[in-house]
Amino acid sequence: MNLNEHVDQYCERVSAAFWAEPVNAISNLSFIIAALAIWRMLAPDRATGRRIPVSVGFTTPLMVCIGLGSFAFHTIGTRWSQVLDVAPIGLFVLWYLGSFLLWFHGLPLKRCLLGVAAFIGFLAVFIALAGPHIPNKSGTYVPVLLLLVGITVALRMSGEAELRAYAGSFAWSTLVFAVSLTARTLDERVCGSFPVGTHFVWHLCDGLLVYLTSRTLVHRWRVRTAEAGAPGADPAGTSLSVGR
């Protein structure tokens, strides 16, 4: 594979020029804005010296990496820059899943990792079987939508009122991602009538998605640590919550 080969995957790109996808490139600001919003949300914790666990705080730099990686791909437009686009997204999903299992269900580190590994296995099988049949290579992201649906349903049906209270937040996140994935999937189909395409909607909605899910995680972390009675306390005693 030639890593310097140019990739023409979206409506907006009609050449190999750096600014061939200006709307797709600039719309990645949504991830930077989301990161800044969560950073500001955590400001009171930093101001009081409260320990912010890596499992919560690392979502912010991951958002920045998603924005910068996607910007690189939609400007440079090569195979190697495509890796910068995809890798941070995948890492964010896996990191968030592990953090969710930790702070929402108090699972120990090994079980969190097993949950993440199980999702990776499901992702691999889904891509192999259904991926080729879903337009615009969106098959990779359908398992993420199914994961959000599963989380929402599980929370809604939980026997704990405290967990059921979060079902609405994840329902909104699921709806946002459904719109996002639809826009990504339809991009190539609307080229004739809408040359800019709809991929930029994917960026805007995903920026909102990472903000919504991270905000919910921060809220849950604060609730759990308040219950534990210790600033930054880790409910499962795992290394996922070490750091500032």
Side-chain angles (χ1 to χ4, degrees):
M1 178 184 294
N2 181 8
L3 294 179
N4 290 315
E5 177 187 0
H6 279 277
V7 179
D8 184 0
Q9 191 171 329
Y10 304 106
C11 288
E12 193 179 17
R13 181 170 289 277
V14 294
S15 74
F18 185 86
W19 281 115
E21 297 181 64
V23 177
N24 285 345
I26 295 173
S27 57
N28 284 297
L29 281 173
S30 63
F31 297 105
I32 308 302
I33 294 171
L36 289 173
I38 297 300
W39 179 261
R40 291 191 63 181
M41 184 179 180
L42 290 169
D45 302 288
R46 293 192 301 272
T48 57
R50 188 180 191 187
R51 186 164 61 94
I52 301 172
V54 175
S55 53
V56 174
F58 193 51
T59 58
T60 302
L62 280 177
M63 291 181 217
V64 174
C65 288
I66 291 173
L68 295 179
S70 185
F71 178 83
F73 176 54
H74 290 289
T75 49
I76 300 170
T78 58
R79 292 290 179 191
W80 66 263
S81 64
Q82 190 174 33
V83 176
L84 300 180
D85 176 38
V86 175
I89 297 174
L91 183 56
F92 182 92
V93 171
L94 299 179
W95 189 273
Y96 190 89
L97 176 57
S99 299
F100 171 84
L101 294 173
L102 170 65
W103 292 106
F104 280 79
H105 297 290
L107 298 183
L109 177 59
K110 288 183 179 179
R111 293 186 66 181
C112 290
L113 293 177
L114 282 175
V116 172
F119 179 71
I120 293 174
F122 169 68
L123 179 66
V125 172
F126 185 92
I127 292 174
L129 297 179
H133 306 290
I134 299 175
N136 210 24
K137 299 181 180 179
S138 292
T140 304
Y141 301 101
V142 172
V144 179
L145 178 61
L146 297 177
L147 175 64
L148 286 171
V149 171
I151 287 175
T152 302
V153 172
L155 291 175
R156 183 66 184 86
M157 298 178 65
S158 174
E160 300 179 39
E162 186 177 315
L163 290 179
R164 289 199 301 273
Y166 291 98
S169 297
F170 279 99
W172 280 111
S173 296
T174 302
L175 178 60
V176 168
F177 191 61
V179 173
S180 174
L181 188 56
T182 300
R184 188 188 195 283
T185 305
L186 293 177
D187 181 74
E188 291 184 335
R189 295 189 177 186
V190 302
C191 292
S193 57
F194 192 54
V196 172
T198 56
H199 192 75
F200 74 96
V201 178
W202 159 263
H203 293 159
L204 297 178
C205 287
D206 282 355
L208 176 59
L209 174 68
V210 295
Y211 167 72
L212 291 174
T213 52
S214 296
R215 183 183 66 174
T216 304
L217 181 65
V218 170
H219 183 271
R220 179 61 177 173
W221 161 64
R222 286 172 173 169
V223 169
R224 288 300 300 269
T225 52
E227 291 173 350
D234 180 351
T238 73
S239 59
L240 278 177
S241 63
V242 176
R244 279 189 172 274

